[in-house]
């Protein structure tokens, strides 16, 4: 018989619950090794360390010294495309993944065999903390290929001892059929595609009670607690958030525990996490809601020091009810390059999502349209009603007042026909730029 999700705080690796003092010692040891690897094997980044006055690991006496080290950025990977930042001979690279390249050339990331083994370990940890147990049936609807989501969840599930069904994305009606016929207990996907699958389940004449689903492991795009509530209700699951970047490993950098679902536990023995001011780069204290920065601590093929993610979040080391002592990403508000500036006001799409999905009469599918009819940018919202028979005029007025009161700007709202907002098989396009 398949296994079942457990709310017990199962721990894959003792480092997750160990004393933070020992963890910090381990991080310092591995930070020094990463600095040495960069200096000896990555000339483009080594030159920056030299300019910063760091010629070797002996100059790193504590973790506070990380602030002396130079940043790395996505532009570095593009400038040295495709393999100019490898720290190992090319023949040691056994896998290549890449970002989507939606803003130019993709960022290419190489993996050694040890990197892949570490990634599988990280995914097994994260999936275990999310409730996956040996024998469970994992329906993996993430895309396979250069995108890291498919293979990341695949190998993590297999390492745990789960049964993984590599469905990949697309053929959404078949997703619903296979969920019902094969008894999937864990759904892995982007949250926006999970909503599409939920609609396919309804279209097949099924409801959540007809499925064996217990868990949803979602990541790959920003999403809110309001979206979580929608997913929990639509699929009859507990939705758990995953976070990662292809530049680090893929998913597996951080994940929520099923017990709390209150912040994503960073795998700190593999990644040193910081938050910095997005404009000045100055390090900021725990709790500041700013840009996340990560340093890889065990990556062989492409180690990265102080990599600026462009993701906005905060960190906390407050104890978690699950017993893990790892730092948590307490909030993820989106990406800096997703932020809109409308009439001088900074606006994140996640803010609009939280407001829209907090209204019961609004369905989970929406998009923001950005235009520039004159000298300033304007934004408007298209969203679907939860009930086609609703008073659309009244709902429109209510939403426009809600958005104005909480954002300080006027955002026109259009209630469109159900099904008219385009669906996605991967990351949803929430912002349509018509400037």
């Amino acid at each position: 018989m398949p296994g079942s999700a457990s709310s017990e705080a199962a721990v894959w690796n003792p480092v997750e619950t160990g004393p933070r003092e020992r963890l910090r010692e381990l991080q310092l040891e591995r930070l020094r090794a990463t600095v040495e690897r960069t200096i000896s094997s990555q000339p483009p980044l080594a030159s920056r360390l030299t300019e910063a006055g760091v010629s070797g690991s002996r100059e790193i006496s504590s973790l506070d010294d990380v602030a002396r080290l130079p940043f790395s950025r996505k532009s570095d990977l593009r400038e040295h495309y495709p393999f100019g930042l490898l720290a190992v001979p090319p023949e040691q690279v056994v896998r290549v993944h890449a970002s989507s390249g939606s803003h130019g050339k993709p960022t290419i990331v190489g993996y050694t065999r040890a990197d892949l083994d570490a990634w599988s370990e990280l995914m097994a940890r994260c999936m275990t903390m999310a409730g996956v147990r040996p024998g469970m049936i994992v329906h993996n609807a993430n895309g396979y290929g250069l995108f890291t989501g498919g293979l990341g969840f695949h190998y993590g599930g297999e390492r745990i001892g789960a049964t993984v069904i590599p469905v990949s994305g697309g053929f959404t009606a078949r997703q619903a059929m296979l969920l019902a016929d094969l008894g999937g207990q864990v759904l892995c996907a982007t949250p926006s595609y999970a909503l599409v699958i939920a609609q396919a389940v309804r279209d097949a004449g099924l409801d959540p009670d007809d499925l064996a689903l217990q868990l949803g492991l979602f990541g790959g795009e920003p999403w809110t607690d309001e979206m979580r509530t929608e997913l929990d209700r639509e699929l009859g699951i507990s939705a758990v958030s995953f976070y990662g970047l292809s530049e680090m490993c893929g998913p597996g950098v951080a994940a929520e525990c099923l017990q709390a679902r209150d912040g994503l536990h960073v795998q700190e023995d593999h990644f040193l996490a910081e938050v910095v001011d997005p404009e000045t780069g100055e390090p900021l204290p725990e709790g500041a809601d700013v840009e996340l920065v990560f340093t890889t601590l065990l990556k062989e093929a492409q180690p990265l020091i102080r990599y600026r993610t462009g993701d906005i979040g905060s960190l906390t080391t407050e104890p978690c009810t699950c017993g893990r002592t790892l730092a948590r990403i307490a909030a993820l508000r989106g990406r800096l390059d997703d932020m809109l500036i409308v009439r001088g006001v900074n606006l994140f799409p996640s803010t609009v999502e939280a407001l829209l999905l907090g209204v019961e009469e609004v369905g989970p599918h929406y998009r923001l349209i950005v235009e520039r009819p004159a000298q300033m940018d304007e934004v408007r919202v298209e969203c679907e009603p939860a009930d086609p028979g609703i008073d659309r005029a009244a709902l429109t007025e209510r939403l426009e007042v809600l958005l104005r009161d909480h954002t300080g700007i006027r955002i026109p709202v259009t209630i469109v026909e159900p099904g008219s907002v385009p669906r996605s098989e991967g990351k949803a396009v929430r912002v349509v730029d018509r400037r």
Side-chain angles (χ1 to χ4, degrees):
M1 293 291 291
S4 298
S6 172
S7 60
E8 296 178 1
V11 174
W12 181 266
N13 190 306
V15 76
E16 300 173 59
T17 54
R20 286 201 60 80
E21 295 78 10
R22 172 61 189 129
L23 176 61
R24 300 287 281 177
E25 292 171 1
L26 182 62
Q27 286 183 309
L28 179 58
E29 174 187 325
R30 292 179 173 179
L31 174 61
R32 286 170 170 162
T34 297
V35 169
E36 288 290 354
R37 177 179 287 274
T38 299
I39 289 172
S40 63
S41 306
Q42 290 177 297
L45 301 182
S47 62
R48 291 189 192 167
L49 286 170
T50 301
E51 290 170 5
V54 178
S55 58
S57 62
R58 63 188 178 278
E59 294 162 36
I60 308 298
S61 60
S62 76
L63 290 177
D64 291 338
D65 288 331
V66 73
R68 296 174 49 210
L69 305 180
F71 293 111
S72 54
R73 296 173 170 82
K74 187 180 289 286
S75 58
D76 294 320
L77 281 81
R78 290 187 172 137
E79 181 182 349
H80 299 284
Y81 175 92
F83 298 121
L85 291 185
L86 283 181
V88 298
E91 58 269 22
Q92 291 185 22
V93 175
V94 298
R95 174 91 61 78
V96 170
H97 281 284
S99 70
S100 62
S102 57
H103 299 288
K105 284 188 175 182
T107 53
I108 300 294
V109 182
Y111 297 72
T112 65
R113 196 165 301 282
D115 290 335
L116 292 179
D117 186 64
W119 185 21
S120 296
E121 151 78 10
L122 289 169
M123 286 303 296
R125 284 190 204 179
C126 289
M127 294 173 74
T128 295
M129 78 168 70
V132 181
R133 299 293 180 264
M136 292 187 75
I137 298 174
V138 176
H139 181 108
N140 190 1
N142 281 302
Y144 283 66
L146 289 175
F147 173 59
T148 54
L151 288 171
F153 283 95
H154 185 111
Y155 287 116
E158 286 189 344
R159 181 161 291 199
I160 289 172
T163 299
V164 180
I165 304 172
V167 185
S168 193
F171 300 99
T172 306
R174 185 178 66 179
Q175 302 270 0
M177 178 189 73
L178 292 176
L179 276 171
D181 294 349
L182 301 183
Q185 298 163 285
V186 183
L187 173 62
C188 304
T190 61
S192 54
Y193 190 44
L195 285 173
V196 178
I197 292 173
Q199 180 63 55
V201 168
R202 291 194 298 274
D203 292 345
L206 302 170
D207 61 43
D209 291 339
D210 297 315
L211 303 178
L213 275 179
Q214 302 173 41
L215 300 172
L217 313 187
F218 303 132
E221 61 188 5
W223 57 299
T224 61
D225 282 339
E226 288 74 15
M227 178 69 81
R228 185 204 304 275
T229 300
E230 192 77 22
L231 288 163
D232 285 356
R233 180 175 63 248
E234 290 291 315
L235 289 166
I237 58 172
S238 293
V240 183
S241 183
F242 277 63
Y243 173 79
L245 307 90
S246 60
E247 299 91 329
M248 298 289 103
C249 67
V253 173
E256 290 179 321
C257 60
L258 180 60
Q259 290 72 29
R261 294 198 291 173
D262 181 24
L264 299 100
H265 294 273
V266 179
Q267 302 307 304
E268 290 187 278
D269 56 323
H270 285 251
F271 308 102
L272 181 62
E274 305 173 72
V275 286
V276 303
D277 185 294
E279 295 183 3
T280 67
E282 287 297 313
L284 293 173
E286 181 177 311
D289 193 14
V290 282
E291 184 179 4
L292 293 168
V293 172
F294 291 101
T295 297
T296 63
L297 297 177
L298 284 178
K299 193 75 182 286
E300 286 188 346
Q302 279 181 237
L304 290 171
I305 292 175
R306 303 195 79 199
Y307 184 76
R308 296 188 65 159
T309 65
D311 293 321
I312 300 298
S314 62
L315 293 172
T316 179
T317 54
E318 287 291 319
C320 182
T321 56
C322 73
R324 289 178 178 82
T325 53
L326 302 169
R328 283 173 290 153
I329 302 173
L332 272 174
R333 289 204 292 125
R335 293 189 51 78
L336 281 169
D337 50 15
D338 288 339
M339 186 181 73
L340 305 171
I341 301 177
V342 182
R343 293 190 289 281
V345 174
N346 294 343
L347 179 68
F348 282 96
S350 59
T351 301
V352 176
E353 175 177 290
L355 293 169
L356 292 177
L357 299 192
V359 177
E360 186 177 352
E361 294 84 355
V362 177
H365 300 287
Y366 71 93
R367 60 180 182 170
L368 282 68
I369 312 294
V370 186
E371 298 169 309
R372 187 174 295 162
Q375 291 184 329
M376 293 197 302
D377 294 342
E378 302 288 345
V379 64
R380 57 186 176 86
V381 167
E382 293 180 351
C383 61
E384 298 178 8
D387 178 358
I390 200 166
D391 184 336
R392 298 192 182 189
L395 180 58
T396 297
E397 181 180 0
R398 179 181 171 192
L399 292 176
E400 288 183 347
V401 170
L402 179 71
L403 290 169
R404 185 183 67 242
D405 288 349
H406 285 80
T407 68
I409 54 176
R410 179 179 178 274
I411 302 176
V413 174
T414 302
I415 309 296
V416 298
E417 290 298 319
S420 61
V421 173
R423 285 9 179 200
S424 171
E425 295 175 1
K427 300 181 181 182
V429 179
R430 296 298 192 195
V431 178
V432 178
D433 193 339
R434 294 180 177 170
R435 290 173 289 186

